[in-house]
Amino acid sequence: MSSTSEQKTMKAYVLKGIGQLEYTDVLLPSCGPGYVLVRVCAAGICGSDLPRIFETGTYHFPTIPGHEFAGIVVDACDEEGRGWIGKRVGIFPLIPCRECFVCREGQYEMCRNYDYLGSRRDGGFAEYAAVPVQNLMELPDAMTMEEAAMLEPASVALHAVRRLTLHRSDTVALFGLGTIGLIITQWLRIRGITSVYAVGHNPGHGDLMKRTAWEGYAYYNALRRPAAGENACADLKPDDRSETAFHHDPVSWIMEQTGGEGVSVAIDCAGTAESVTNCLNCVRPGGQLLLVGNPKGEMVFDQASYWKILRNQIRVTGTWNSSFDHHNGDDWHRVAAAAAQKELHLSELITHRLRFDELLHGLSIEKDHTEYYNKIMICASEGEESFGR
């Protein structure tokens, strides 16, 4: 990379402290050996971006957040990267050390000493990002940039489903229909599962599931009781509010739907003690419990729930991130193939498409629940192919 380009500036969203995200000019990233410069074309807002920006912060300040993004390679500083210039790429955000014992076994998603774009180093809420060559995946011609920006959550969903032992006859309960939960329902349909009972907190979730996964999947709308002064129905359309009640009991509904037997597989995508307990209360003896959702806080379970794991011999499985090793069998390549073949419907999950300079508005929608949303995507302006000038 030329020394003159290193002095150029770009627009970026810089997190300077908790809750202090500024849209400002910064120096263009400098790329060391093994890195390339990517012009960002699309970036998705992940649910994990909210606590990272507004509650806990990143690992250091300042940081450019954003780990769900895709773009075009425009520059490199060595021969390894120059072959990528001009290519459209998806970007695996986890940077493994490639030296620890799990990396030596090829399980990079569990690296003990990983780096991460958008939290431990600068990410994709910028016009340009510096990315390791090893983290690039060339996109199929049929894949759009906004679909490519959804490779990360779609791969996380696939990785989770691959942690299960599934049969077509399985019945599945799923708690939490954010982007990853909705994509999991699509993978269940691809795997031939016909009985899914999904629980969410907005009718829009159920509509999206039926449109993108299968219309025969069942949906239960269960809202928590709002805190004092909170408008829990703010993101519902007026005609939805009459259908919404509090103290719904999704477990009773699932048990009724399954003739009192419960489901063979329960999946938690919500990350609360309540949702995990609900999973334990609706999974049948000998069943599987898959934990997907990032924890929203401390997870405390009563003795009865723990007894259910023991006495009912429930197989509890965790999942984290996704596999990417440049082979066609890894999660990312499987997602790209499924999207290109129209098995997987990703763009249909995008409820908002905003310009790069509207990112703060997108974050506000998610933070304050002012309207219904699923995936909020930051896209290039009309007539432009990227954020970069």
Side-chain angles (χ1 to χ4, degrees), residues 68-176:
E68 298 180 6
F69 64 104
I72 300 170
V73 178
V74 295
D75 206 349
C77 72
D78 56 22
E79 287 303 317
E80 182 183 20
R82 289 191 183 100
W84 285 89
I85 293 177
K87 291 184 177 181
R88 302 164 64 249
V89 293
I91 295 154
F92 180 57
L94 188 150
I95 304 172
C97 71
R98 302 185 183 275
E99 296 178 354
C100 67
F101 68 97
V102 284
C103 280
R104 292 196 300 270
E105 295 170 354
Q107 296 178 302
Y108 300 120
E109 71 275 12
M110 293 189 289
C111 175
R112 302 294 86 185
N113 304 294
Y114 67 90
D115 207 341
Y116 208 87
L117 296 168
S119 62
R120 301 184 181 217
R121 66 167 54 218
D122 289 342
F125 289 162
E127 291 182 320
Y128 296 88
V131 178
V133 171
Q134 290 296 317
N135 288 60
L136 302 175
M137 188 183 82
E138 187 171 3
L139 301 178
D141 291 339
M143 177 169 272
T144 66
M145 280 296 179
E146 63 181 30
E147 288 175 323
M150 294 186 69
L151 278 167
E152 198 274 340
S155 297
V156 168
L158 173 59
H159 193 75
V161 170
R162 283 176 157 178
R163 297 283 293 153
L164 295 165
T165 300
L166 287 176
H167 306 281
R168 287 176 177 267
S169 59
D170 277 322
T171 52
V172 179
L174 188 148
F175 289 81

Side-chain angles (χ1 to χ4, degrees), residues 1 22 30 32 53 64 90 93 135 156 177 184 209 227 282 301 315 341-342 346 362 364 367 374 386:
M1 183 172 296
E22 296 184 13
S30 59
I53 292 170
I64 298 172
N135 288 60
V156 168
L177 277 183
I184 284 176
M209 178 186 69
C282 72
F301 304 98
R315 193 176 82 186
Q341 295 162 9
K342 305 305 179 185
L346 299 178
S364 176
K367 179 173 177 286
N374 194 269
S386 66

Side-chain angles (χ1 to χ4, degrees), residues 46-342:
C46 176
S48 67
D49 289 324
L50 288 156
R52 193 171 290 127
I53 292 170
F54 297 108
E55 299 172 14
T56 61
T58 49
Y59 285 80
H60 59 81
F61 300 114
T63 307
I64 298 172
H67 62 274
E68 298 180 6
F69 64 104
I72 300 170
V73 178
V74 295
D75 206 349
C77 72
D78 56 22
E79 287 303 317
E80 182 183 20
R82 289 191 183 100
W84 285 89
I85 293 177
K87 291 184 177 181
R88 302 164 64 249
V89 293
I91 295 154
F92 180 57
L94 188 150
I95 304 172
C97 71
R98 302 185 183 275
E99 296 178 354
C100 67
F101 68 97
V102 284
C103 280
R104 292 196 300 270
E105 295 170 354
Q107 296 178 302
Y108 300 120
E109 71 275 12
M110 293 189 289
C111 175
R112 302 294 86 185
N113 304 294
Y114 67 90
D115 207 341
Y116 208 87
L117 296 168
S119 62
R120 301 184 181 217
R121 66 167 54 218
D122 289 342
F125 289 162
E127 291 182 320
Y128 296 88
V131 178
V133 171
Q134 290 296 317
N135 288 60
L136 302 175
M137 188 183 82
E138 187 171 3
L139 301 178
D141 291 339
M143 177 169 272
T144 66
M145 280 296 179
E146 63 181 30
E147 288 175 323
M150 294 186 69
L151 278 167
E152 198 274 340
S155 297
V156 168
L158 173 59
H159 193 75
V161 170
R162 283 176 157 178
R163 297 283 293 153
L164 295 165
T165 300
L166 287 176
H167 306 281
R168 287 176 177 267
S169 59
D170 277 322
T171 52
V172 179
L174 188 148
F175 289 81
L177 277 183
T179 300
I180 290 174
L182 281 165
I183 299 175
I184 284 176
T185 65
Q186 293 193 46
W187 285 117
L188 293 173
R189 181 251 304 157
I190 292 169
R191 295 287 293 270
I193 305 299
T194 58
S195 296
V196 171
Y197 307 98
V199 177
H201 64 266
N202 190 293
H205 295 331
D207 293 341
L208 269 178
M209 178 186 69
K210 290 175 180 292
R211 291 206 313 267
T212 60
W214 187 47
E215 64 180 9
Y217 287 169
Y219 176 73
Y220 189 89
N221 184 45
L223 278 178
R224 61 180 175 81
R225 180 173 291 279
E230 179 184 10
N231 181 8
C233 293
D235 57 353
L236 297 180
K237 300 186 294 294
D239 57 353
D240 291 328
R241 300 187 188 193
S242 61
E243 303 170 7
T244 302
F246 300 103
H247 293 310
H248 278 177
D249 183 4
V251 173
S252 295
W253 172 72
I254 291 169
M255 297 305 289
E256 181 180 322
Q257 297 293 312
T258 57
E261 293 183 1
V263 294
S264 54
V265 178
I267 303 174
D268 175 61
C269 293
T272 68
E274 179 184 12
S275 59
V276 175
T277 299
N278 284 339
C279 286
L280 287 170
N281 287 335
C282 72
V283 67
R284 69 178 59 172
Q288 302 175 74
L289 167 59
L290 176 65
L291 303 176
V292 182
N294 290 346
K296 301 297 189 297
E298 294 297 321
M299 306 288 275
V300 179
F301 304 98
D302 58 28
Q303 188 179 38
S305 296
Y306 189 81
W307 271 118
K308 286 180 180 177
I309 298 173
L310 302 183
R311 292 182 182 273
N312 292 340
Q313 297 184 173
I314 306 302
R315 193 176 82 186
V316 180
T317 305
T319 182
W320 178 249
N321 218 282
S322 57
S323 66
F324 178 73
D325 57 14
H326 295 279
H327 293 98
N328 287 335
D330 69 28
D331 296 328
W332 281 62
H333 285 83
R334 177 69 183 96
V335 167
Q341 295 162 9
K342 305 305 179 185

